[in-house]
């Protein structure tokens, strides 16, 4: 019996702004680099406030998301707030 070979999912190798960083420009894009090339899927990517309720800031649709090779770029429609932590889901 031979088990099928399953490729592991890509992993995040870098991000800008960096995880846990402070002082990021409010109008800057969010850029995530993966361990291998990725492809665009269906649905939206959620940008959420890192707070007790994890409030949704924006559901980024295809128009605000670009994929090039192993790089995912998110372009929020509005400036992000200073001194506020966010996460992507």
């Amino acid at each position: 019996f031979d088990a099928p070979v399953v490729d592991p999912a890509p992993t995040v190798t870098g991000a800008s702004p960096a995880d846990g960083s402070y002082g990021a420009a409010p109008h800057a894009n969010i850029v995530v680099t993966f361990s291998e090339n990725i492809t665009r899927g269906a649905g939206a990517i959620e940008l959420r406030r890192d707070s007790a309720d994890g409030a949704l800031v924006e559901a980024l649709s295809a128009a605000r998301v670009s994929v090039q090779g192993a790089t995912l770029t998110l372009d929020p429609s509005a400036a992000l707030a200073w001194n506020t932590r966010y996460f992507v889901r």
Side-chain angles (χ1 to χ4, degrees):
F1 170 69
D2 290 324
V5 176
V6 178
D7 290 331
T11 58
V12 174
T13 59
S16 176
D19 189 24
S21 65
Y22 292 91
H27 293 303
N29 287 343
I30 301 164
V31 180
V32 182
T33 306
F34 290 87
S35 58
E36 60 187 76
N37 288 349
I38 58 172
T39 57
R40 182 187 306 269
I45 295 176
E46 295 179 346
L47 179 62
R48 293 184 168 269
R49 191 169 295 110
D50 191 7
S51 58
D53 66 352
L56 178 65
V57 174
E58 182 174 0
L60 296 142
S61 64
R64 308 226 51 99
V65 175
S66 67
V67 173
Q68 187 170 26
T71 303
L72 169 72
T73 302
L74 307 176
D75 181 19
S77 61
L80 302 180
W82 286 102
N83 298 319
T84 303
R85 293 179 56 106
Y86 296 90
F87 67 94
V88 174
R89 179 167 53 184

